[in-house]
Amino acid sequence: MRGRSMVRGYKRLAGAAVSLAVAGTLAAASLVTGAGPAAAAPPVADRGEYLVFYGAGAQAEALSAVKAGGGVAAAVEAKLGYIIARGPRTGFAEALGASPAVVGVTDNRRIGAATAVAAGAGPLTAPLSPAAAEGASAADVSAANASAANPSTVGKAVKAEPLAGRQWDMRMIGATPSGSYAVNRANKKVTVGIIDTGVDGRHPDIAPNFNRALSRNFVTDHPKDPNGKTLDGPCEVKSCKDPADVDDDGHGTHVASTIGSPINGIGVAGVAPDVSLVNIRAGTDSGFFFLKPVLDALTYAGDAGIDVVNMSFFVDPWTFNCTNNPADSKADRLQQAGIVTGVQRALDYARARGVTLISALGNGSTDLGDPTTDKESPGYPLGKERERTIDNSCVNVPAESRGVISVSALGPSKRKAWYSDYGTEQTDLSAPGGDPSDAGTSLKGATREILAAAPTHVLRREKLINAAGKPAGGSVVRECHHGHCSYYQYLSGTSMASPHAAGVAAILVARFGRPGKGGLTLSPSRVEQLLYATATPVSCPASGSTTYSVSEETHTCAGPAAKNGFYGHGLVNAYRAATAKG
């Protein structure tokens, strides 16, 4: 697997375990601990920026370690237990790692110039977490959900959407007019956060369910990497920070559509067609998922009262994070420890506040219970990958993090997709993700993949539609009404599988949730129990393995139908979720 977002047959996505700092220096700021103003940060030229994760109760000791190492503490994020510090570019992480108070050090390096900003742009004047700066108050959350409220459509007749015939994935899980749509589906009091590359909130098949009031973007686009290689390309807006209803990649829009495209007589319908879709952007235009935006997105999800989040990505730059691998330098091990620690803290924070966490399992075609080689890390800077030996102590984040429900991908014949990662410990559920190589079906080519909404400007940029708006090939479908057209794209990946599980989770929250912060709430542990209970058990192949001719690999499935390495607790089932008696 190379892509940062979990998708196959799409452009190659890479990333780094850092968030992006805008051009200029980090201004002096008061620490949130009340310790007084921090010293002015040294010039960017000879200093790097770091996220320093400290142990429980060890904030003061960690601050002392930063100072002793020649660094300056710019801010403290007490919610997740880390310091934003500036220090020497050489040796600083290793010096901090010698302190027992420090459990991880991740570089938060500046990776590119913001070309849409005039030369000599001013400093970053708000160094504290964007989650705090942009976080919605309880009143904001309540008002946003109240304005979007829509009663459940229990028992109402439902007409199939125009492109429903192409949605083999929805038929596989019972999300159809005669299935879950006709019985019970999530309503707009249930919020699903899409932590991804953004969501095209103006797409005709997303707009009715798009919650603009709660949506946030925690990412600043950067045109190039430090070596001058194209990263995000030219900024579309002066600030290089896109509005919260924009997706310049397409990945997040596809995910959002699978979760909750409405039943509106246009295009397709999602698993939960009345859900409230919230863009919580943590991925750049080029598909990088940096650590700091991911931390901010998860923290915001908890503070805003989001019910379910979908995470179709892994945190860069390491496909597998090894905290004690002799193949890595001390600084690399500290960086990976920072990723594992920081993301786990953010996941715990969100889950403790009622957020059910759904993740794509990964596209590495790997048994995650027995990994041996990582050829894709570090994925940043571009072209720095190297082959290293790994073992089961190395983890994919967030798919293998605690409290996360991880989803494998299936093709239209219900065969595990050849690219999908798997593992008896790691696979919790399975869902349709698409597989162009799945010959066990009458479908051909792209139609074996998942069809969902796509931003028009992205398709035009990628030359998938021409100047007149006509699709250039079979991977894109145009659907028009009264002179207005919308577009849909076939994609495959575990990125496409996990949104099906997120949609089913939303149905369960709608059915069994109680009034909570601005809407309905159901504990993540209860949602998890119900997801497993309503899934359709699927046994391993009779031979115990499946040979994939595309990659000439043999993947071995282990475990009973109730829980195995290919299907987990089973195939998610929207109809069973909509009719379960709890």
Side-chain angles (χ1 to χ4, degrees):
M1 177 175 61
R2 176 60 174 83
R4 270 40 211 167
S5 44
M6 306 301 184
V7 58
R8 304 294 298 196
Y10 202 45
K11 68 181 181 181
R12 199 177 185 196
L13 305 180
V18 295
S19 68
L20 309 180
V22 298
T25 59
L26 183 64
S30 297
L31 300 179
V32 297
T33 55
V44 170
D46 60 3
R47 295 276 167 159
E49 186 172 291
Y50 301 85
L51 306 184
V52 183
F53 294 90
Y54 52 81
Q59 184 187 103
E61 291 87 344
L63 287 168
S64 296
V66 168
K67 183 176 181 180
V72 175
V76 174
E77 176 50 84
K79 287 180 180 179
L80 302 185
Y82 67 87
I83 301 163
I84 301 177
R86 283 201 177 277
R89 293 190 182 278
T90 302
F92 186 58
E94 291 88 341
L96 290 176
S99 169
V102 175
V103 297
V105 183
T106 299
D107 51 323
N108 197 34
R109 79 190 88 170
R110 175 170 170 257
I111 66 168
T115 57
V117 179
L124 178 63
T125 56
L128 298 183
S129 167
E134 293 196 64
S137 66
D140 292 334
V141 174
S142 180
N145 279 316
S147 67
N150 184 43
S152 178
T153 55
V154 178
K156 292 186 177 180
V158 180
K159 184 179 179 180
E161 295 291 85
L163 299 179
R166 297 172 178 262
Q167 292 186 279
W168 60 263
D169 54 318
M170 297 302 171
R171 293 191 293 276
M172 183 182 286
I173 67 170
T176 64
S178 60
S180 62
Y181 300 161
V183 182
N184 188 299
R185 56 191 200 242
N187 58 44
K188 287 185 175 61
K189 289 185 178 180
V190 179
T191 51
V192 179
I194 295 91
I195 303 181
D196 215 291
T197 62
V199 176
D200 181 3
R202 300 181 185 183
H203 191 287
D205 223 3
I206 286 179
N209 288 346
F210 186 70
N211 192 322
R212 187 168 278 99
L214 285 183
S215 292
R216 298 289 186 275
N217 175 16
F218 293 103
V219 175
T220 299
D221 291 332
H222 285 255
K224 299 179 183 296
D225 79 352
N227 299 321
K229 294 182 179 180
T230 298
L231 196 65
D232 296 325
C235 297
E236 293 81 14
V237 296
K238 184 177 181 180
S239 67
C240 289
K241 187 169 184 175
D242 295 328
D245 63 351
V246 169
D247 178 13
D248 288 322
D249 178 274
H251 186 272
T253 298
H254 196 281
V255 166
S257 176
T258 297
I259 294 169
S261 272
I263 295 176
N264 59 350
I266 298 174
V268 301
V271 178
D274 292 312
V275 78
S276 184
L277 298 169
V278 182
N279 175 25
I280 312 177
R281 182 177 167 184
T284 68
D285 286 354
S286 54
F288 288 75
F289 286 82
F290 306 108
L291 178 60
K292 185 63 163 56
V294 170
L295 300 181
D296 292 334
L298 285 166
T299 304
Y300 174 74
D303 291 340
I306 303 299
D307 294 302
V308 180
V309 296
N310 184 84
M311 301 177 289
S312 290
F313 63 88
F314 65 84
V315 181
D316 300 291
W318 305 91
T319 305
F320 290 92
N321 292 272
C322 313
T323 59
N324 193 29
N325 188 348
D328 300 328
S329 68
K330 177 65 174 177
D332 284 347
R333 293 197 297 271
L334 284 167
Q335 184 186 69
Q336 292 168 81
I339 294 168
V340 172
T341 299
V343 174
Q344 189 62 63
R345 289 178 180 178
L347 293 166
D348 291 344
Y349 183 90
R351 198 169 191 270
R353 286 156 181 78
V355 183
T356 295
L357 306 162
I358 309 289
S359 174
L361 193 58
N363 298 338
S365 192
T366 299
D367 180 354
L368 295 180
D370 187 26
T372 58
T373 306
D374 179 8
K375 300 179 180 179
E376 309 295 339
S377 303
Y380 184 88
L382 301 178
K384 295 298 183 181
E385 302 90 340
R386 57 183 171 82
E387 184 172 340
R388 59 181 182 147
T389 300
I390 61 172
D391 58 29
N392 198 27
S393 67
C394 303
V395 294
N396 182 297
V397 175
E400 293 189 82
S401 300
R402 295 189 308 276
V404 175
I405 300 167
S406 296
V407 186
S408 67
L410 309 181
S413 72
K414 296 186 182 178
R415 183 187 78 165
K416 184 188 79 68
W418 74 268
Y419 56 78
S420 180
D421 287 340
Y422 60 102
T424 54
E425 298 174 21
Q426 293 80 11
T427 308
D428 295 313
L429 290 166
S430 56
D435 185 353
S437 71
D438 188 349
T441 171
S442 60
L443 298 174
K444 303 294 183 182
T447 62
R448 295 172 177 173
E449 300 183 280
I450 306 299
L451 186 68
T456 303
H457 73 285
V458 173
L459 298 178
R460 183 168 287 117
R461 184 192 68 215
E462 298 296 327
K463 296 183 170 39
L464 293 173
I465 59 175
N466 61 25
K470 182 179 178 180
S475 67
V476 172
V477 176
R478 178 173 64 173
E479 206 259 324
C480 303
H481 291 277
H482 307 296
H484 298 284
C485 299
S486 52
Y487 292 89
Y488 303 83
Q489 186 176 16
Y490 283 106
L491 295 175
S492 60
T494 54
S495 278
M496 285 59 256
S498 61
H500 292 85
V504 175
I507 292 173
L508 292 168
V509 174
R511 290 215 56 215
F512 303 108
R514 296 181 179 181
K517 188 176 182 179
L520 297 176
T521 184
L522 186 63
S523 73
S525 60
R526 183 59 178 148
V527 176
E528 183 175 359
Q529 291 173 349
L530 290 167
L531 276 171
Y532 297 164
T534 57
T536 304
V538 183
S539 298
C540 286
S543 63
S545 66
T546 301
T547 300
Y548 296 87
S549 58
V550 171
S551 56
E552 298 181 351
E553 296 177 354
T554 298
H555 296 176
T556 300
C557 181
K563 176 66 166 74
N564 60 64
F566 279 11
Y567 302 96
H569 293 275
L571 170 63
V572 295
N573 191 310
Y575 182 74
R576 291 181 66 176
T579 56
K581 297 186 182 298

